[in-house]
Amino acid sequence: MKLDTLIGEPWADYGLIDSGHGRKLERYGRFRFIRPEPQAMWAPASADWQADGEFIPGSDEEGGGRWQFTGQVPRDGWPMKWDDVAFTAQTTPFRHLGFFPDMAPVWSWMRERLDGVAEPEALNLFGYTGVGTLALASQGVRMVHVDASKKSVEAARANARLAGLDDKPVRWMVDDATKFAAREVRRGRRYDGILLDPPKFGRGPEGEVWRLEEGLPGLIADCRKLLDEKSRFLFLTVYAVRMSALAIGELVSQAFADLPGRVEAGELAVCEEARGLLLPTAIWARWSR
């Protein structure tokens, strides 16, 4: 299987300014932030980083830490925009800012895959704050957005209102993604595309435990049953785990062996503005027709 890299280029409201020595400097709208980045093992382009806030990691290995601010950063967030989709960025206790900018090339790719499909419908599992959902809804795609966190789904609905897309046909579901997918299989449902962004570990709304290595094969199998020979894609991203793009690529390839189309895998990366250097962020696998 050939591996590929999907590169996130800077856009008006976001850019990776510089990176190195285990950190990265990014712009989110009018604010700049420094965050830990273990894969930035090289030296930065500049030693003088000016930022409005920095995430200081804790001593544990579970992603703990705190934000330290030097600028007047609104704690309840500020508006940003990707293409025609507006949404809110916000500092979170989990070191990210309420969305994943490296997903921008994925949003564009999904739009391309569904272009020309009559009345397309797609499913976003582990949909978080909904930027991926809105990227498709803005193009007329009927969406089903699923996340176990009521707070995340509320944030996604708020983003839809901010973007002027709250009248679009989106089903907002607070549910365990694996249980929801299994029920959709039993209902005989189908989709034209599925976006799948599972966490390393998580809990459902009723305390269900999710562990990526244990749950992913069964979830991929159910997703395959929700797609058919007329469907256009499944896109899977995996963050923060010791797992190979080849491994998830082979998993998807096996599950989709009976469908026409092709399976690809690789890495997501963001292009640094200072030097054009590529900073890897996640691994992915996809099936498309």
Side-chain angles (χ1 to χ4, degrees):
M1 179 182 299
K2 180 183 177 181
L3 297 182
D4 198 3
T5 303
L6 292 180
I7 301 170
E9 301 286 349
W11 76 82
D13 271 0
Y14 172 79
L16 172 64
I17 301 170
D18 197 3
S19 63
H21 292 166
R23 302 190 303 165
K24 57 186 174 182
L25 174 65
E26 300 163 290
R27 55 178 178 83
Y28 286 80
R30 65 185 187 275
F31 301 107
R32 292 185 172 199
F33 299 97
I34 298 170
R35 295 190 291 158
E37 182 47 74
Q39 297 202 84
M41 296 179 284
W42 43 81
S46 171
D48 183 24
W49 285 5
Q50 302 295 321
D52 298 285
E54 180 173 1
F55 189 86
I56 309 301
S59 58
D60 59 59
E61 297 181 357
E62 298 302 320
R66 60 184 176 83
W67 284 97
Q68 180 175 293
F69 298 100
T70 56
Q72 299 299 314
V73 179
R75 303 301 189 267
D76 57 350
W78 61 96
M80 287 184 53
K81 196 170 187 179
W82 174 80
D83 197 55
D84 59 345
V85 178
F87 55 93
T88 297
Q90 183 177 16
T91 54
T92 75
F94 313 106
R95 83 178 59 193
H96 57 75
L97 286 101
F99 77 106
F100 299 100
D102 56 333
M103 288 291 290
V106 180
W107 303 331
S108 297
W109 181 85
M110 292 190 302
R111 283 179 167 185
E112 292 169 2
R113 300 310 304 169
L114 294 179
D115 185 36
V117 177
E119 299 183 348
E121 185 171 17
L123 173 62
N124 188 358
L125 294 174
F126 308 97
Y128 193 40
T129 57
V131 183
T133 294
L134 299 178
L136 292 180
S138 70
Q139 303 299 296
V141 180
R142 297 194 310 274
M143 294 298 302
V144 179
H145 176 103
V146 183
D147 199 285
S149 167
K150 182 179 179 181
K151 183 177 180 180
S152 291
V153 174
E154 289 174 349
R157 299 189 74 154
N159 279 335
R161 291 191 293 271
L162 179 65
L165 299 173
D166 49 335
D167 61 337
K168 297 296 183 181
V170 180
R171 291 174 58 202
W172 304 103
M173 309 294 297
V174 179
D175 205 340
D176 177 81
T178 56
K179 289 185 175 180
F180 181 85
R183 287 198 305 273
E184 292 288 86
V185 170
R186 293 194 294 270
R187 294 173 184 135
R189 294 269 285 143
R190 72 164 294 279
Y191 291 92
D192 294 294
I194 297 177
L195 174 60
L196 189 59
D197 185 21
K200 178 181 178 181
F201 176 86
R203 292 188 182 276
E206 298 180 7
E208 304 93 336
V209 175
W210 163 267
R211 293 184 177 85
L212 183 74
E213 293 85 350
E214 299 171 5
L216 187 58
L219 182 56
I220 291 293
D222 278 341
C223 287
R224 160 61 190 90
K225 296 171 185 174
L226 296 174
L227 300 168
D228 61 22
E229 66 279 356
K230 294 183 179 179
S231 300
R232 292 301 181 92
F233 72 83
L234 174 134
F235 201 104
L236 165 68
T237 55
V238 174
Y239 288 83
V241 296
R242 295 175 180 175
M243 189 178 290
S244 165
L246 279 173
I248 62 172
E250 294 296 358
L251 173 65
V252 172
S253 183
Q254 184 181 73
F256 284 77
D258 62 326
L259 279 187
R262 62 178 178 173
V263 173
E264 302 163 286
E267 295 194 25
L268 289 181
V270 178
C271 184
E272 183 191 278
E273 293 179 325
R275 297 166 289 189
L277 180 151
L278 298 182
L279 176 65
T281 59
I283 56 175
W284 57 268
R286 66 188 182 193
W287 166 82
S288 63
R289 186 187 67 83

